[in-house]
Amino acid sequence: MTALPPKRIYLSPPHMGQAERELLLDAFDSNWIAPIGPHVDAFEREFCETVGVPYAVALSSGTAALHLALLLLGVGPGDEVIVSSFTFATTANAVMYMGATPVFIDSDPISWNMDPGLLREELESSAKRRKVPKAVIVVDLYGQCADYGQVIETCERYGVPVVEDAAEAVGSTYKGRPAGSFGAAATFSFNGNKIITTSGGGMLVSSDAGMVERARHLATQAKDPAPHYQHSAIGYNYRMSNLLAAVGRGQLRVLKDRVSRKREIFQFYQRAFGDLPGVSFMPIASYGEPNYWLTCILVDPAHFGATREDIRLALEKENIESRPLWKPMHLQPVFKDCRVRGGSVSEGFFRDGLCLPSGTALTDVELERVAGIIRDAGRG
Ligand SMILES: Cc1ncc(COP(=O)(O)O)c(C=O)c1O
């Protein structure tokens, strides 16, 4: 008899509990099986309390939230929008949906997020050219906030609105303030791999009531208030299902536990192989507390004795998922003609970086297994 392969360890799988199940069944039994209903309303209210922002609209994805945010800021063809280069493609895709052009900014090594110094340089130079960008999208990567003090101050000086792509940062803080409470609007994702999930889903939040109301209208096919179907604007089918909002409410209740388990996982890995030469962890900027969504490492092969790809393949051989860090947008074939300021910092992250299994339901025994393989890879 051949031995069964070990159970696959995923990067960040969903982690559900009894409350989510009960709320989902409650939604099912109520027959509010639609992108509207009491759980959608309650999820929006409860999410506002978590993020400390007065208005929210629950949507079908973080991508939809970004699209609507740019639409409501009036981004259109011919405009430029500044975007963190080190991110998932969606952040830049949303700019393309509007017919606008992304301009990429490299990361700083302190938080891995948009470098505020490069942002200042880009805005200075765009002001001289009399082509100030229509918006700036700042990403809170891997659950760590960007340096909002500097970002907001610079953007205010040039009158450019900020959209916070907090897709990965539910539960993170910057100087004690929750991620998502900065800028003109912020967007979140509840995709299956996020710290809390609704399978797929998103949220747009803002302290501007009018903006959120307009987003709600556009996300609901832009139906005018009439007994018949009448439309004065182009709408979208972007609302979150009541079933999924019920799951989201259950997930919000355990968000604090999830953040503390993610932090434990980060610290576990640090203890397990942080002493190895050539391995470093995503730095934690002194200004905030991340949600530690994914534990990310950088591997210097000259000192470690193996590359990040060697580690990834060694883990894969044992049925364990890990992933290279995001490939920066300025290296993506689809954005090859876009401008970039800086670039070498995020290129280094992509070359040497790896995201490790960080699921909150992982046991310490499973974490030991992962850590053991990484230690051995260095010896190989
Ligand atoms: C930084 C970032 N922005 C946006 C998104 C898009 O969110 P969604 O998958 O919910 O559309 C994601 C992840 O999925 C992300 O990681």
Side-chain angles (χ1 to χ4, degrees):
M1 247 178 39
T2 50
L4 286 173
K7 190 178 101 205
R8 183 156 178 80
I9 294 181
Y10 290 99
L11 203 60
S12 183
H15 183 177
M16 294 290 144
Q18 194 56 26
E20 288 84 332
R21 193 183 157 84
E22 281 164 15
L23 286 158
L24 175 63
L25 288 175
D26 176 78
F28 185 90
D29 292 341
S30 73
N31 208 34
W32 280 100
I33 300 177
I36 183 173
H39 284 289
V40 177
D41 299 342
F43 188 34
E44 288 171 351
R45 270 198 315 274
E46 291 161 10
F47 197 78
C48 282
E49 283 161 25
T50 303
V51 174
V53 170
Y55 307 104
V57 55
L59 300 167
S60 53
S61 68
T63 305
L66 276 168
H67 185 189
L68 289 179
L70 295 184
L71 199 74
L72 292 167
L73 290 175
V75 173
D79 289 333
E80 287 186 347
V81 175
I82 291 183
V83 180
S84 311
S85 187
F86 192 48
T87 184
F88 180 52
T90 289
T91 321
N93 286 349
V95 177
M96 302 300 283
Y97 298 164
M98 305 312 304
T101 306
V103 175
F104 297 116
I105 304 274
D106 202 3
S107 301
D108 73 20
I110 300 164
S111 71
W112 294 9
N113 288 310
M114 186 183 284
D115 184 322
L118 293 179
L119 171 66
R120 203 173 308 120
E121 279 177 21
E122 178 58 31
L123 285 175
E124 257 167 37
S125 114
S126 67
K128 278 192 197 130
R129 281 184 281 115
R130 297 184 186 282
K131 185 153 176 59
V132 173
K134 195 76 176 180
V136 174
I137 312 180
V138 185
V139 186
D140 300 328
L141 218 65
Y142 299 119
Q144 170 152 263
C145 284
D147 189 347
Y148 283 102
Q150 294 202 57
V151 166
I152 300 284
E153 192 202 309
T154 304
C155 289
E156 275 178 356
R157 194 174 323 137
Y158 293 93
V160 182
V162 172
V163 175
E164 184 182 354
D165 181 353
E168 303 174 4
V170 185
S172 313
T173 58
Y174 172 84
K175 295 191 177 169
R177 253 174 79 178
S181 61
F182 304 91
T187 61
F188 291 91
S189 167
F190 309 114
N191 186 29
N193 63 0
K194 295 297 184 289
I195 187 162
I196 58 169
T197 178
T198 58
S199 75
M203 193 77 79
L204 173 70
V205 306
S206 175
S207 47
D208 178 342
M211 187 175 187
V212 172
E213 270 329 293
R214 286 198 306 282
R216 197 184 305 282
H217 174 67
L218 293 173
T220 325
Q221 306 284 25
K223 286 185 212 135
D224 290 343
H228 52 276
Y229 285 101
Q230 179 171 299
H231 309 270
S232 308
I234 301 296
Y236 302 85
N237 184 5
Y238 274 177
R239 284 290 264 156
M240 176 180 279
S241 157
N242 191 58
L243 296 176
L244 303 186
V247 175
R249 293 183 69 199
Q251 288 270 276
L252 263 190
R253 292 180 194 173
V254 292
L255 174 61
K256 281 206 169 76
D257 300 342
R258 296 292 184 264
V259 173
S260 51
R261 181 62 185 149
K262 292 270 190 193
R263 189 188 307 111
E264 276 172 17
I265 291 170
F266 179 86
Q267 291 167 347
F268 185 103
Y269 283 133
Q270 273 188 324
R271 276 195 311 275
F273 55 81
D275 58 319
L276 295 182
V279 175
S280 58
F281 286 73
M282 181 173 86
I284 307 304
S286 59
Y287 54 60
E289 183 64 11
N291 67 5
Y292 299 89
W293 172 49
L294 295 178
T295 294
C296 303
I297 57 170
L298 294 177
V299 181
D300 174 357
H303 291 99
F304 184 66
T307 64
R308 70 110 160 103
E309 191 56 9
D310 295 329
I311 298 180
R312 193 186 72 77
L313 292 172
L315 290 169
E316 192 54 51
K317 215 164 138 217
E318 296 297 323
N319 210 14
I320 297 169
E321 183 184 31
S322 63
R323 283 270 174 87
L325 299 187
W326 299 121
K327 180 170 185 173
M329 291 306 109
H330 68 272
L331 296 184
Q332 299 288 352
V334 71
F335 295 121
K336 67 179 184 339
D337 297 329
C338 296
R339 227 171 50 244
V340 58
R341 191 165 284 266
S344 59
V345 174
S346 53
E347 285 165 23
F349 295 157
F350 173 56
R351 184 188 60 230
D352 297 330
L354 195 67
C355 305
L356 300 180
S358 307
T360 43
L362 282 174
T363 62
D364 285 2
V365 172
E366 288 171 313
L367 291 173
E368 286 288 4
R369 241 183 87 211
V370 176
I373 295 164
I374 294 173
R375 288 194 77 92
D376 288 349
R379 288 191 201 110

